[in-house]
Amino acid sequence: MAGTDSSKEFAFRPTPAIILVEPQLGENIGAAARAMANFGLWDLRLVNPRDGWPNEKATASAAKALPVIERVQVFETLTEAMADLNLVLATTARNREMFKPVIGPDEAADRLSAHIGGGQKAGILFGRERWGLNNDEVALADAIVTLPVEPAFASLNIAQAVLVLAYEWRRAALKDQPLPFSADEGEPAPRGQLAAMTEQLGEALDRAGFFKTPAKRPGMMNNIRAMFARGGFNAQEVRTLRGIVAALDRRHERPNPSRHKGEDEAE
Amino acid sequence: MAGTDSSKEFAFRPTPAIILVEPQLGENIGAAARAMANFGLWDLRLVNPRDGWPNEKATASAAKALPVIERVQVFETLTEAMADLNLVLATTARNREMFKPVIGPDEAADRLSAHIGGGQKAGILFGRERWGLNNDEVALADAIVTLPVEPAFASLNIAQAVLVLAYEWRRAALKDQPLPFSADEGEPAPRGQLAAMTEQLGEALDRAGFFKTPAKRPGMMNNIRAMFARGGFNAQEVRTLRGIVAALDRRHERPNPSRHKGEDEAE
């Protein structure tokens, strides 16, 4: 699929575990696995999944996220699922009236990154499709994570919540690293090249009668120079602009370009 | 659904437009609408959707995101869909070998927040399910947004990409005050005006025989569009550019401008 580099192996770095508590639909498990793979997470744990495991629908909807599906662990209770972790965050959209800190996904990612970066283990809890996590389960966590959703439409499905947390994790974990690709913009052209181009343009405009009022020419040329200077054009672009000006300027010498097929012409 | 406060009205704040280019599946449109609603976005625009509009599958999979579905606008071309915006970001996972800045979703959200906070309009482009946006479309944007995905599994579906951008938008919008705007520069011109100018230039260059090799014209025009898009020209400057192109283009009708003293001429 667009963008995927098949030559690259999945890099199994230390990452937070994603724990789904009593997930009902296989499609949601598969979608969660895909969201995890997109951002480099691989440790998926299921607590008492409704349809057991393995789950055909989960595998099917996981698509190419096989590295995640192959490593799924299944537990009967949440306590067992989080036994080896010493930082656990619970995702929920509802106020729990509980003495539990509430943080956003960005702060959650910072905390997870620091904790795991220090060699420890962490996890994030996600609840059931219909009613999320119950209070007993939230009580086990160190903090609540809630997404800054629109109050009138606050419900995210499990895979979407996993996606946002996974994205934030990766952003925090890679903070100082470059994006998958960056632009080769080229440096802005030396000012001398730009000045030569605008002067060439000015002369062409003179020949075209553009400056209706000679007294206004200096001011108008200054605006034109400022406009092109602010454009930040690189050397190649300045050459293109010179070619454009030259082509339009010289056109009057070639009233019917189609008669001159085969004739060389600068681009 | 868990967490949604039905007593709250959807708050229609100024937000970026989400533009889906030739979306194929109604389910993806609906899922994108939901992702938008979750984070308070509501301006969804479709360019040439495969199955037309309205679309039953889209409405069904949008679930309660009706405020978004009801406001969907459909356009035949991307240029029309973005005509009123003066900041447009294109999402892609592939390196485009184009002179176009590349930023992550967090930086994208900061730029959008500052721009919209200053009272201007912006949008984000998402491509087709199979192969995203084509180079012509990316060339129209001010910058490329790419997500920090795992290289071995880089493909996100449209709704997922929308979700991450929508989440980042809301995070930025709720966090920062907008940047102050410098009134001296004027706002960048709406994309529709810029597109009209580059098309006019392209036609003038056709008449001038600038495109020596017809097969190269699309790529060269993309470079020209990208160059002018990056310039950030305001509406007055775009008018000046149109005047420049018109003057040079029409010059062939006036081989000796000095003979036509006193004749009115558009600047």
Side-chain angles (χ1 to χ4, degrees), chain A residues 1-6 8-13 31 33-35 37-41 62-65 93-94 104-106 129-132 147-157 159-161 163-164 167-168 170-171 174 179-186 201 204-213 216 220 223-224 226-228 230-234 236-238 240-241 243-245 247-252 254-255 257 263-267, chain B residues 1-6 8-11 13 31 34-35 37-40 62-65 92-96 98-106 130-132 144 146-157 159-161 163-164 167-168 170-171 174-175 185 201 204-213 216 220 223-224 226-228 230-234 236-238 240-241 243-245 247-249 251-252 254-255 257 263-267:
Chain A
M1 297 170 93
T4 295
D5 185 343
S6 313
K8 295 247 167 75
E9 295 260 321
F10 193 97
F12 292 97
R13 298 189 187 86
R34 284 182 63 183
N38 283 127
F39 293 106
L41 281 78
K64 294 186 184 175
R94 283 181 291 134
D106 45 354
E129 282 84 340
R130 285 257 178 104
W131 38 281
L147 278 68
V149 288
E150 175 75 29
F153 197 80
S155 62
L156 286 167
N157 69 36
Q160 289 174 313
L163 187 76
V164 173
Y167 159 73
E168 277 287 22
R170 190 166 177 90
R171 197 181 70 92
L174 296 185
L179 290 167
F181 61 89
S182 59
D184 171 23
E185 289 188 285
L201 175 60
L205 290 175
D206 286 330
R207 289 188 282 273
F210 179 75
F211 300 108
K212 195 166 61 169
T213 312
K216 285 190 178 178
M220 291 169 67
N223 287 337
I224 289 171
M227 168 166 62
F228 283 109
R230 233 180 55 240
F233 300 118
N234 60 44
Q236 183 176 320
E237 289 171 330
V238 172
T240 299
L241 286 167
I244 287 174
V245 173
L248 295 175
D249 184 33
R250 289 199 332 262
R251 187 191 160 204
H252 79 285
R254 306 158 43 83
E263 184 174 315
D264 267 20
E265 189 180 320
E267 280 189 36
Chain B
M1 300 169 92
T4 296
D5 186 343
S6 313
K8 295 246 168 76
E9 296 260 321
F10 194 96
R13 298 190 186 85
R34 285 182 61 185
N38 282 129
F39 292 106
K64 293 187 183 170
T92 177
R94 284 181 289 134
N95 193 346
R96 296 299 176 130
M98 202 184 287
F99 292 134
K100 191 76 71 179
V102 178
I103 59 179
D106 44 355
R130 286 256 178 102
W131 38 281
I144 285 172
T146 196
L147 277 68
V149 289
E150 175 74 31
F153 197 78
S155 63
L156 286 167
N157 70 34
Q160 289 175 313
L163 186 77
V164 172
Y167 159 73
E168 278 287 21
R170 191 165 176 92
R171 197 180 69 94
L174 294 183
K175 182 179 64 164
E185 287 191 310
L201 174 60
L205 290 174
D206 284 331
R207 290 188 282 273
F210 179 76
F211 299 107
K212 195 166 60 169
T213 313
K216 286 189 177 176
M220 291 170 69
N223 287 335
I224 289 171
M227 168 165 63
F228 283 109
R230 234 181 52 241
F233 301 120
N234 60 42
Q236 182 177 319
E237 289 170 332
V238 173
T240 299
L241 287 167
I244 288 174
V245 174
L248 295 175
D249 185 31
R251 190 199 156 194
H252 80 284
R254 306 157 45 79
E263 184 174 312
D264 267 20
E265 185 179 319
E267 277 188 38

Side-chain angles (χ1 to χ4, degrees), chain B residues 14-15 86-87 109-122 169 173 176-183 186-188:
Chain B
T15 57
N86 60 357
L87 172 64
D110 288 340
R111 284 186 67 171
L112 291 165
S113 182
H115 191 84
I116 291 174
Q120 302 183 70
K121 301 180 73 173
W169 155 258
D176 293 324
Q177 296 297 318
L179 293 170
F181 256 91
S182 164
E187 315 169 345

Side-chain angles (χ1 to χ4, degrees), chain A residues 27 36 42 44 54 72 78 98 112 117 138 161 177 184 192 206 220-221 223 257:
Chain A
E27 293 89 332
M36 290 171 64
W42 52 266
L44 176 58
V72 161
L78 174 56
M98 204 183 286
L112 291 165
V138 174
Q177 306 213 5
D184 171 23
D206 286 330
M220 291 169 67
M221 277 305 295
N223 287 337

Side-chain angles (χ1 to χ4, degrees), chain B residues 191-210:
Chain B
R191 301 292 91 183
Q193 294 181 20
L194 194 66
M197 186 276 292
T198 49
E199 291 320 300
Q200 179 196 357
L201 174 60
E203 289 164 15
L205 290 174
D206 284 331
R207 290 188 282 273
F210 179 76

